[in-house]
Amino acid sequence: PPIGKSEGGLVRNSSHLSFVDEVGEFRNTTVKGKIVGFGFDLITLDDLIKSRAEARSKVVRDDAWGWLTDDVLPRRSRTCGIIFTTTRWHVDDPMGRLKHRFPGMRVVNYPALATVDEKHRRKGEPLFPELKPLDMILEQKNVQTTAGFEALYQGSPMVEGGDLFP
């Protein structure tokens, strides 16, 4: 049952928001969190793998994948949208597995440094220079491993040690 109601007709409990007299709901959970009994038309999944240390563990990757495939995906509607906001720590992370199984799915990646000329920036230019200017990104690139930088800044995971032979 709702524990409160705001002036805008918003009803909330610990992990669920409903809008009174409106269509739609928002629910919040975590990997392995409760999702049973609910369906969705749109879901946002944020960082199913939390760190490089987690990504190194096949058990953690398998747990995240199992939760995604067994608990989340069966509850989607036929026309649902799925939005991942994620650091691609590992080529075998849930996003990598989805891309492998559904090669036609649309994936949008915004690398910190453009890898090709784009409509609004040239190759090598930063995504948000006001937030992270080029010199700051290049400084970070110099202190991280290639694999770390590619994962965190470019959204392009590598097998660790894969940068030994260019």
Side-chain angles (χ1 to χ4, degrees):
I3 59 172
K5 183 174 180 180
S6 73
E7 292 178 26
L10 177 67
V11 179
R12 65 181 104 198
N13 67 27
S14 63
S15 64
H16 174 237
L17 298 175
S18 293
F19 298 91
V20 177
D21 299 325
E22 298 289 333
V23 177
E25 297 178 354
F26 169 83
R27 293 183 188 277
N28 183 44
T29 191
T30 60
V31 173
K32 298 185 189 178
K34 183 181 178 196
I35 194 168
V36 176
F38 305 107
F40 62 87
D41 296 312
L42 174 67
I43 190 167
T44 300
L45 301 169
D46 182 33
D47 285 332
L48 301 185
I49 304 291
K50 305 288 185 217
S51 67
R52 177 175 303 291
E54 281 193 8
R56 285 184 178 131
S57 168
K58 185 167 183 334
V59 170
V60 171
R61 293 192 317 271
D62 287 347
D63 281 349
W65 179 249
W67 181 77
L68 177 64
T69 58
D70 295 341
D71 295 349
V72 175
L73 295 181
R75 289 164 176 80
R76 71 190 190 276
S77 69
R78 184 177 166 278
T79 59
C80 84
I82 300 173
I83 300 170
F84 270 89
T85 53
T86 187
T87 299
R88 295 287 323 279
W89 287 110
H90 198 284
V91 295
D92 184 47
D93 63 8
M95 177 55 71
R97 292 182 188 190
L98 280 174
K99 286 174 67 172
H100 177 74
R101 285 164 178 81
F102 302 100
M105 79 177 199
R106 181 174 180 215
V107 176
V108 179
N109 180 43
Y110 296 103
L113 297 176
T115 58
V116 296
D117 287 346
E118 301 171 357
K119 184 176 181 179
H120 298 289
R121 64 182 180 150
R122 297 282 181 227
K123 182 177 180 177
E125 289 182 344
L127 183 61
F128 292 112
E130 302 81 11
L131 179 64
K132 293 196 180 206
L134 181 60
D135 62 329
M136 181 181 176
I137 295 172
L138 294 176
E139 178 182 284
Q140 188 62 35
K141 185 176 182 178
N142 286 330
V143 299
Q144 283 188 282
T145 64
T146 300
F149 181 81
E150 288 295 315
L152 280 168
Y153 282 83
Q154 299 299 96
S156 180
M158 304 173 70
V159 175
E160 283 193 66
D163 60 337
L164 295 178
F165 301 100

